Amino acid sequence: TLPAQLDPVALARLSAIRTRAIRESEAWVRSHIWALENAAINTLGQIYLDAYRSMYAALTDAFLRYGAGETWAATDARFRERTEYLLAQIRADVERLTDEAVAQAFDAAIRGYQAGYYGRAWVLETGLRTGALIDLPLLPVEAIRAAMLAPYLGGTFLDRFAQARDEFVMRIRRSIVESQIRGESIYQAQKRLAAELGIDISRVGRIARDANKALFARTEMIARTEILRASNLGALSIYEANRDVLEGWEWVVTLDERTCPRCGPLDGQQFAFDAPQSPPPLHPRCRCTVTPVLINSALEQKIVGPRQTYTEWAEERGITIINDGGVLRFRGAPPPKSPSDAAKQAAGLYAQ
């Protein structure tokens, strides 16, 4: 708590130092978590490239096995046999791919939870500036796993990957049959397979990140969202362990032109620990985080001044927030891209 015996000038100075310390250390933790996300996605990308090579080999083998040359046609007498052989191979590859992607993303989410937990513990110790250690309970991995596997937004971590896998198998079956009906060449069939996976075969070893409906794009979205969710759950866990100095948490959005109309108005809103409001993410690819609300936050805001919210930031730049599915309206020219380090760390993240 703020020492009552301090004169107003000293009190204001201490509050300003403490508030600035919390904001600056929180910004560092956010950038660290975004870097963790990017590292996880790069690893996922390599998994997908390896899977494509295996599926490519299965596709080539299917052509050679049945002696159809370069034609992939439904008029072939062994059309169904060839199709089922190929789909069985691809299904097996997709199962292996999904298992690897789930294991890698789950491991990254656990590290995200730990980063949120220990990172926010550091934020509290840095911001409180009392010299006293905060309460830092041991964080068992099993507790993290239980939190990560709890359902939210209509499904669990594993459900989302399973849905993406099943949708891909359905799409690839449709794609293969269409290739055969059109009598396409093996190269055209390979391109269809690559497009559904999210691989750019025109540039070897590149993930086509702009293929938003491809399997890799779906997996990337799930992984980023789950890592962010894990880090926020970790933050809330350490906050609740220190209720003696905290009274709740605050919703914090990213101040840039990609923040969505659903999240923007929530920026700066504060919630008690027992409030029904769930922490972010609010939607896929959400970039919102949570910060601690000190017991003396109202007094400190009166002394230091409130943090600029997204609504205020947007108004300064001529951005009107409209809840019409994610569209931002600009008065005049749109603002330039944010040059901040945090924005650069978030490259590749796109709010819904």
Side-chain angles (χ1 to χ4, degrees), residues 257-296:
E257 61 286 342
R258 294 184 287 110
T259 295
C260 79
R262 295 179 61 193
C263 294
L266 286 168
D267 190 36
Q269 292 194 29
Q270 297 180 353
F271 304 92
F273 290 119
D274 56 356
Q277 175 64 52
S278 298
L282 188 61
H283 56 76
R285 296 187 186 276
C286 182
R287 296 175 294 149
C288 297
T289 55
V290 296
T291 56
V293 176
L294 303 175
I295 289 177
N296 294 299

Side-chain angles (χ1 to χ4, degrees), residues 20-295:
R20 184 170 63 249
I22 287 178
R23 292 175 184 175
E24 290 178 352
S25 54
E26 172 64 23
W28 186 91
V29 171
R30 282 164 61 93
S31 66
H32 174 73
I33 290 169
W34 284 338
L36 188 155
E37 286 183 23
N38 286 334
I41 298 309
N42 289 337
T43 302
L44 276 175
Q46 187 58 53
I47 291 173
Y48 270 72
L49 290 172
D50 292 343
Y52 172 68
R53 294 187 182 102
S54 178
M55 294 182 197
Y56 172 94
L59 182 59
T60 303
D61 183 53
F63 273 82
L64 298 176
R65 177 180 290 265
Y66 296 107
E70 287 294 313
T71 302
W72 183 246
T75 55
D76 179 8
R78 306 186 75 175
F79 161 77
R80 184 170 183 90
E81 182 181 357
R82 181 201 311 223
T83 301
E84 294 306 320
Y85 167 80
L86 176 59
L87 285 172
Q89 294 293 310
I90 289 180
R91 177 80 195 201
D93 285 332
V94 172
E95 293 285 353
R96 285 193 295 271
L97 168 61
T98 303
D99 289 345
E100 286 189 60
V102 167
Q104 197 281 329
F106 199 75
D107 180 67
I110 288 176
R111 284 183 278 120
Y113 191 107
Q114 293 169 327
Y117 185 86
Y118 294 115
R120 271 38 179 262
W122 172 68
V123 169
L124 286 178
E125 287 193 345
T126 301
L128 293 176
R129 306 184 70 82
T130 62
L133 297 178
I134 67 164
D135 188 9
L136 188 63
L138 181 66
L139 187 61
V141 172
E142 286 308 312
I144 304 176
R145 292 179 182 275
M148 289 303 306
L149 292 175
Y152 84 104
L153 296 179
T156 67
F157 181 96
L158 299 178
D159 291 337
R160 299 179 213 290
F161 279 95
Q163 289 164 4
R165 177 201 64 207
D166 293 342
E167 180 183 330
F168 171 77
V169 171
M170 179 189 69
R171 289 169 64 99
I172 204 63
R173 173 182 283 274
R174 188 164 55 226
S175 174
I176 288 172
V177 171
E178 185 172 350
S179 287
Q180 292 177 305
I181 291 172
R182 291 172 178 268
E184 293 180 342
S185 68
I186 186 172
Y187 177 73
Q188 290 171 309
Q190 290 164 353
K191 285 185 65 177
R192 284 181 178 275
L193 175 63
E196 295 293 350
L197 267 173
I199 306 295
D200 184 357
I201 62 174
S202 65
R203 294 172 61 184
V204 177
R206 178 178 181 270
I207 293 288
R209 294 177 185 269
D210 56 344
N212 293 324
K213 294 183 179 180
L215 182 60
F216 177 75
R218 287 283 305 279
T219 302
E220 177 187 19
M221 177 189 71
I222 294 168
R224 287 193 185 278
T225 305
E226 294 293 344
I227 292 170
L228 187 280
R229 172 174 172 258
S231 69
N232 285 334
L233 288 174
L236 287 180
S237 181
I238 192 64
Y239 294 164
E240 291 198 51
N242 288 273
R243 284 173 175 252
D244 57 327
V245 293
L246 303 179
E247 61 182 6
W249 56 277
E250 181 176 326
W251 194 293
V252 179
V253 309
T254 302
L255 299 185
D256 66 21
E257 61 286 342
R258 294 184 287 110
T259 295
C260 79
R262 295 179 61 193
C263 294
L266 286 168
D267 190 36
Q269 292 194 29
Q270 297 180 353
F271 304 92
F273 290 119
D274 56 356
Q277 175 64 52
S278 298
L282 188 61
H283 56 76
R285 296 187 186 276
C286 182
R287 296 175 294 149
C288 297
T289 55
V290 296
T291 56
V293 176
L294 303 175
I295 289 177

Side-chain angles (χ1 to χ4, degrees), residues 257-262 321-329 351-352:
E257 61 286 342
R258 294 184 287 110
T259 295
C260 79
R262 295 179 61 193
I321 304 174
I322 300 177
N323 286 302
D324 63 353
V327 176
L328 298 180
R329 306 297 187 193
Q352 179 173 303

